Amino acid sequence: MCGGKHLGHAITCTDHYASGEQFNLVRCDDCGFIFTQGAPVEAEIGRYYETPDYISHTDIRKGLMNRVYHEVRKYMLSRKAKLIKRTSGLSKGTLLDIGTGTGYFSNTMKERGWRVKAIEKSPQARAFAKEHFELDVDTEDALAGYADHSFDAITLWHVMEHLEHLNETWEKLFKLLKERGVLIVAVPNPSSYDAEKYKEWWAAYDVPRHLWHFTPSVMQQFGVKHGFKLAEQHPMPFDAFYVSMLTERYKGSRLSFLKGMWTGLLAWFSSLAKKERSSSMIYVFRKK
């Protein structure tokens, strides 16, 4: 992010989800940016997503945690739509959703009258969006072909941490966004209550699928680097419940659901006192 060369070891995490491999997280001493060292390149990382229940790309409802996830998603879809309407000042407009997954959010905005373009890397997720929502979701290559200044809003819901070509993507996003448009990014927060409690076990580190790890201060710096100003930031306190339950399951805890719910509740109260302690954060950017 800053070009600095003063790097230090931050933490070592295990891929509890797919491979069991360990990866080191490295922190820049100059700007505080944390990244996953030695992560597979884009052409090789696909196998780390290849499990039947990767929750952002499926509609599985079996199991208590998955059911909780889907119920919370219903609430968050409405909240996200209201956020876009308020920050863009538009009831209808043009929207680009990058990493749309199975298409729930893109469909929500389409139902509200927005003209939606959506991008998703996973063929299975694109097929799901087509089958269930009649969404024609583009592949990631389509990003280069969109016209400049063509979107009132661009969204990346828990996608930015996965993008290999981070700087190049943000340069393109700046060009695609209209002058009064909004860029909305949601990412996990490694300075959250639950991250500090669980340390290397914290499920939202999600190595090696998560390449980058953004604290609120780092997120603001990254926006400035690419010509944006941070206009708003909002907590996503529900994330702490799911992340904590998943973390307890990774730890092999008895009563992982209840323990995760308790930690999620404590994290919720922590974010009420200081929103920057939330498990995940939503950032609203505008052009400078």
Side-chain angles (χ1 to χ4, degrees):
M1 184 173 73
C2 71
K5 297 180 180 179
H6 305 103
L7 306 175
H9 178 263
I11 199 168
T12 299
C13 298
T14 301
D15 175 15
H16 298 285
Y17 177 75
S19 70
E21 297 174 33
Q22 289 191 324
F23 295 87
N24 292 320
L25 271 57
V26 174
R27 179 186 289 109
C28 175
D29 294 334
D30 297 321
C31 67
F33 190 29
I34 302 171
F35 58 92
T36 302
Q37 176 72 7
V41 296
E42 195 168 32
E44 300 173 359
I45 203 169
R47 69 183 181 90
Y48 292 92
Y49 290 87
E50 291 173 358
T51 62
D53 60 345
Y54 190 64
I55 198 160
S56 67
H57 286 165
T58 66
D59 201 37
I60 292 173
R61 297 175 188 272
K62 183 175 65 175
L64 190 56
M65 281 195 290
N66 282 352
R67 292 200 296 272
V68 169
Y69 173 89
H70 289 290
E71 288 304 313
V72 170
R73 179 172 61 185
K74 291 180 183 178
Y75 168 79
M76 288 302 299
L77 287 172
S78 175
R79 181 183 169 191
K80 289 172 181 178
K82 291 176 181 177
L83 177 66
I84 290 174
K85 180 180 179 179
R86 180 180 61 78
T87 56
S88 69
L90 300 171
S91 296
K92 299 178 182 179
T94 54
L95 179 137
L96 171 62
D97 185 35
I98 299 177
T100 197
T102 47
Y104 280 86
F105 172 71
S106 291
N107 183 62
T108 296
M109 298 307 295
K110 185 182 75 170
E111 290 179 337
R112 283 164 168 74
W114 283 68
R115 299 184 302 280
V116 177
K117 289 286 187 181
I119 288 178
E120 172 56 45
K121 184 176 182 178
S122 166
Q124 294 85 0
R126 292 198 304 271
F128 184 100
K130 178 67 174 178
E131 178 183 353
H132 289 79
F133 303 124
E134 298 183 354
L135 287 172
D136 293 317
V137 179
D138 293 332
T139 65
E140 54 193 332
D141 296 336
L143 187 66
Y146 297 147
D148 292 351
H149 312 295
S150 55
F151 295 103
D152 297 297
I154 300 175
T155 54
L156 298 93
W157 304 110
H158 286 288
V159 171
M160 187 172 162
E161 61 269 28
H162 296 266
L163 299 176
E164 180 176 353
H165 305 290
L166 202 54
N167 286 314
E168 295 87 344
T169 300
W170 271 63
E171 290 168 6
K172 182 62 176 175
L173 298 182
F174 185 89
K175 295 176 182 178
L176 292 177
L177 196 65
K178 294 180 180 179
E179 287 304 314
R180 295 182 179 274
V182 290
L183 170 64
I184 299 179
V185 177
V187 288
N189 176 16
S191 60
S192 65
Y193 173 91
D194 43 309
E196 293 183 357
K197 170 182 171 60
Y198 287 122
K199 297 181 173 59
E200 71 273 10
W201 286 96
W202 190 50
Y205 280 128
D206 200 21
V207 294
R209 290 159 295 278
H210 290 186
L211 307 175
W212 324 104
H213 311 275
F214 300 93
T215 63
S217 63
V218 165
M219 194 75 254
Q220 182 176 15
Q221 292 177 69
F222 198 83
V224 169
K225 176 181 179 180
H226 291 282
F228 292 94
K229 61 181 178 182
L230 180 59
E232 300 177 13
Q233 54 183 350
H234 302 280
M236 299 182 76
F238 281 120
D239 282 25
F241 290 94
Y242 177 74
V243 169
S244 297
M245 287 187 287
L246 187 57
T247 302
E248 292 289 352
R249 190 172 76 179
Y250 286 162
K251 292 179 69 177
S253 302
R254 296 181 61 189
L255 304 175
S256 60
F257 177 83
L258 293 177
K259 288 182 178 179
M261 287 292 288
W262 175 247
T263 298
L265 185 62
L266 295 177
W268 182 300
F269 286 125
S270 179
S271 68
L272 289 176
K274 187 177 182 181
K275 62 183 178 182
E276 292 83 0
R277 296 275 285 165
S278 178
S279 185
S280 295
M281 297 288 294
I282 297 173
Y283 302 94
V284 180
F285 292 96
R286 300 183 185 276
K287 290 186 176 181
K288 291 182 182 178

